[in-house]
Amino acid sequence: MGMYITLGLVVFLLLIFVMTAITMVKQGYVYTIERFGKFTKAAEPGLTIIFPVIDRVGHRINMMEQVLDIPGQEIITKDNAMVGVDAVVFFQVLDAPKAAYEVSGLHPAIMALTTTNLRTVMGSMDLDETLSKRDEINARLLSVVDHATSPWGVKITRVEIKDIRPPRDISEAMARQMKAERLKRAEILEAEGDKTSAILRSEGSKQSAILEAEGKREAAFRDAEARERAAEAEAKATQMVSDAIASSGNQAINYFVAQEYTKAVGKFADSPNAKTILFPVEATQLIGSLGGIGELVRDAIQPGENAPMGGNNGVPLSRDRDPVSRERPRSSVPRTGRGDAG
């Protein structure tokens, strides 16, 4: 009976030994194993066997990327403006033993280091620079904090400024400044638009004047060319008449005179105000002496009609076909050779 009790006690102690000797490390963590208080090894994720009583787990280090929120800080800029700043730090432990034994309290240390360098970086810049150069602030903070935490086995992956809060009066002044700047740009753009419009109108007037002048010049050239051609035609016609007269003598002269006389009589006949045409005796004698010109005069006065003219002396009838007396008072027939039209 006593032997069974002793065997059961041994089995129980063996189970306790096995349970304490086997340690399970979670994924994303690294455990430091200490023997008699001294670091011996880093246990990777999975099952790790240690010697109870002699060995123990020292620190459980999180190897995943972590986020550390930096509380709001009141910072004085280079131009003595008080601004509130919130930031956030992303970091990852790369060396578990260093993170466990090179620094006491990893998170508070990173927070203090980031806060101090944040004040240093932003305190060396003006308010306008802090508001407009966040990327530069982030890059400078990342470089400084990462270099400072390198001995701790920590890699600073990113530092971001979440918010910058200038004082209320400065915010109002900046709003007024922005409004004035926008009004200024609007006025400048409007003035540039007016300038461009005026330039375009001037260019349009200039082009219109140029085109009008070119049109007038072209018209003058064409008019001069037309007059030149007309003069050449007239000169050619005159030369032909001269040649005809030179070759034909009085017959050509009689023909041209009769033609012009016929045209003149035709104009008298076509006049709306002329109802009756009277020719003097001298004119009829001149017509009879031209050898058959009476027929031409008859066609000009009564075109398309075959009615005979007033008599053998060539005195015409009126347009309403009433005969005109050949006998006229002596006093009404001038002797000067010029006829009167009634």
Side-chain angles (χ1 to χ4, degrees):
M1 184 65 179
M3 185 178 63
Y4 289 111
I5 294 173
T6 303
L7 183 60
L9 182 60
V10 171
V11 173
F12 178 73
L13 292 175
L14 184 60
L15 290 175
I16 293 176
F17 179 80
V18 172
M19 291 177 64
T20 55
I22 298 176
T23 301
M24 185 179 63
V25 181
K26 295 187 297 183
Q27 183 66 37
Y29 284 84
V30 171
Y31 292 175
T32 59
I33 306 301
E34 299 175 356
R35 178 171 293 175
F36 298 114
K38 182 181 179 181
F39 170 74
T40 57
K41 68 175 181 177
E44 298 293 333
L47 293 178
T48 301
I49 298 176
I50 62 175
F51 293 97
V53 182
I54 299 175
D55 296 337
R56 72 182 185 90
V57 177
H59 296 83
R60 294 174 173 83
I61 305 300
N62 187 352
M63 304 299 291
M64 296 178 289
E65 187 173 4
Q66 304 176 60
V67 181
L68 184 61
D69 192 10
I70 306 299
Q73 303 291 321
E74 297 292 333
I75 299 176
I76 300 177
T77 61
K78 185 178 179 180
D79 52 353
N80 298 324
M82 184 72 69
V83 294
V85 181
D86 294 334
V88 62
V89 179
F90 296 82
F91 70 95
Q92 185 177 12
V93 177
L94 301 179
D95 193 336
K98 288 184 178 182
Y101 300 107
E102 294 294 334
V103 61
S104 177
L106 182 61
H107 287 191
I110 295 176
M111 185 180 296
L113 186 61
T114 305
T115 301
T116 303
N117 285 278
L118 182 62
R119 292 178 180 272
T120 302
V121 172
M122 297 190 65
S124 62
M125 304 173 69
D126 295 334
L127 178 61
D128 293 338
E129 292 179 337
T130 59
L131 296 175
S132 60
K133 296 182 179 181
R134 292 195 179 190
D135 293 338
E136 182 179 346
I137 297 173
N138 295 336
R140 291 174 62 179
L141 282 174
L142 177 61
S143 176
V144 173
V145 177
D146 183 56
H147 180 73
T149 57
S150 179
W152 303 342
V154 176
K155 173 64 177 178
I156 305 297
T157 58
R158 187 179 300 176
V159 179
E160 296 288 344
I161 302 296
K162 293 197 302 182
D163 188 21
I164 299 177
R165 301 179 302 276
R168 184 173 181 178
D169 54 346
I170 295 179
S171 299
E172 294 176 355
M174 292 173 62
R176 292 194 299 270
Q177 180 183 1
M178 180 183 65
K179 182 178 179 180
E181 186 69 23
R182 291 182 180 276
L183 290 175
K184 174 184 175 182
R185 282 187 288 177
E187 292 177 356
I188 291 174
L189 291 176
E190 185 177 358
E192 290 179 352
D194 294 340
K195 175 183 176 182
T196 304
S197 177
I199 291 174
L200 292 177
R201 285 196 296 268
S202 300
E203 287 292 334
S205 300
K206 176 183 175 181
Q207 293 295 330
S208 177
I210 291 174
L211 292 176
E212 184 178 359
E214 290 180 353
K216 290 182 178 179
R217 184 180 65 177
E218 184 69 19
F221 286 162
R222 292 182 180 275
D223 188 25
E225 185 178 359
R227 290 197 301 271
E228 181 180 358
R229 291 183 179 181
E232 291 177 355
E234 184 69 22
K236 187 175 181 179
T238 304
Q239 182 65 35
M240 293 177 66
V241 171
S242 300
D243 295 340
I245 293 173
S247 61
S248 300
N250 293 332
Q251 294 181 357
I253 296 175
N254 293 336
Y255 173 77
F256 288 120
V257 171
Q259 186 178 16
E260 295 299 324
Y261 193 85
T262 303
K263 292 180 181 180
V265 172
K267 291 182 180 180
F268 278 111
D270 291 337
S271 175
N273 296 325
K275 301 301 182 181
T276 302
I277 302 175
L278 300 178
F279 289 91
V281 176
E282 290 81 355
T284 58
Q285 293 176 356
L286 177 61
I287 294 174
S289 65
L290 292 178
I293 302 306
E295 297 295 331
L296 296 176
V297 176
R298 183 186 307 112
D299 293 337
I301 295 176
Q302 296 177 347
E305 297 182 4
N306 294 324
M309 296 184 66
N312 293 331
N313 292 331
V315 179
L317 300 175
S318 64
R319 296 183 62 181
D320 53 359
R321 303 180 64 123
D322 292 334
V324 180
S325 175
R326 292 175 55 187
E327 296 181 0
R328 298 179 60 185
R330 182 175 300 268
S331 60
S332 61
V333 179
R335 296 299 179 178
T336 60
R338 292 178 297 177
D340 295 333

